[in-house]
Amino acid sequence: WLPFYWAGYKQTTRYTYRLLNIKQEEMLWNNMATNIRRNIIKAKEKHRITVQKGISIEAFLRVQTQTFERQQITNKTDIKVLTRLIQACRKRNQGDIWGGYDEKGELHAAAFIVWQNDTAWYLAGGGNPALRDSGAHSLILWECIRHVASFINTFDFEGSMIPGVERFFREFGAIQTPYFTITKGNFSLLD
């Protein structure tokens, strides 16, 4: 980032978590923390969660909003931009939304995954706070990884600096990978 530094930019290091060689399913499964494997099994066997690809944008946005409310985070996501991104990815066959449903048809959790070239990214997700204990989020991500492994090699959890989210990604056996956030200009505290 040195040329940016010379041009007056500022940099901070952030982290993402990546799974490499995702075609090796048995290795991925064995590298996961025990609690993630247990949640995946619990979601399938105890709660009878089934994962569906192509769920509606509206259903996805509802569970994402529920997650932000539970975390007491002001949602800074521009819904119109996110909607256009999902539509564009679907049109180009470079992304979709997966959801985990129980036998009553209730959506427990959802994940928006995109891909290009040799990498897939988990861009956004959420879950119904009342149904968090079902393990659906772990199952959805596992099924997404298995799906994209048929045509890519790397899965990127897209990073998070929120301690609980970071731990969840790391427990999938993902490798911490630094990246730079580069900015220029004066930002207020609100920015």
Side-chain angles (χ1 to χ4, degrees):
W1 86 278
L2 188 56
F4 290 98
Y5 173 79
W6 293 331
Y9 288 79
K10 294 182 179 175
Q11 181 271 131
T12 188
T13 302
R14 299 181 63 86
Y15 297 92
T16 188
Y17 286 83
R18 304 182 94 198
L19 292 171
L20 308 175
N21 304 314
I22 64 172
K23 292 179 184 346
Q24 298 177 19
E25 186 175 319
E26 184 178 346
M27 178 199 70
L28 290 179
W29 182 261
N30 291 333
N31 286 341
M32 277 185 222
T34 304
N35 64 307
I36 297 292
R37 290 193 303 264
R38 187 174 38 246
N39 282 339
I40 291 168
I41 293 167
K42 176 175 68 171
K44 288 185 345 188
E45 295 178 3
K46 180 180 179 185
H47 295 283
R48 304 272 192 247
I49 303 295
T50 57
V51 177
Q52 298 175 22
K53 180 181 176 227
I55 72 166
S56 75
I57 294 171
E58 295 77 20
F60 171 72
L61 293 175
R62 273 194 303 278
V63 295
Q64 185 186 47
T65 299
Q66 290 173 330
T67 296
F68 289 138
E69 288 171 355
R70 180 186 60 79
Q71 295 172 338
Q72 298 178 345
I73 295 173
T74 303
N75 183 0
K76 292 188 176 188
T77 303
D78 185 327
I79 301 301
K80 290 179 184 176
V81 171
L82 181 57
T83 299
R84 286 196 316 264
L85 178 62
I86 294 167
Q87 291 168 338
C89 288
R90 283 178 165 171
K91 183 177 178 181
R92 296 175 182 161
N93 192 29
Q94 289 184 292
D96 213 333
I97 305 169
W98 280 258
Y101 291 89
D102 63 24
E103 291 175 315
K104 298 176 189 171
E106 198 161 10
L107 179 61
H108 286 231
F112 174 43
I113 310 295
V114 300
W115 53 85
Q116 183 176 351
N117 301 328
D118 200 43
T119 303
W121 295 267
Y122 171 40
L123 284 193
N128 183 330
L131 304 171
R132 283 183 73 210
D133 291 335
S134 70
H137 209 120
S138 297
L139 175 61
I140 291 165
L141 288 175
W142 175 240
E143 293 300 330
C144 290
I145 292 164
R146 292 177 67 213
H147 174 83
V148 299
S150 66
F151 54 91
I152 59 112
N153 287 313
T154 303
F155 187 88
D156 192 320
F157 284 93
E158 189 263 325
S160 178
M161 302 299 270
I162 300 169
V165 177
E166 180 273 344
R167 185 186 71 248
F168 179 65
F169 293 162
R170 186 171 21 92
E171 288 176 340
F172 271 86
I175 299 165
Q176 185 184 67
T177 307
Y179 67 93
F180 298 137
T181 298
I182 300 173
T183 57
K184 187 172 187 177
N186 294 323
F187 294 102
S188 73
L189 289 175
L190 294 175
D191 292 329

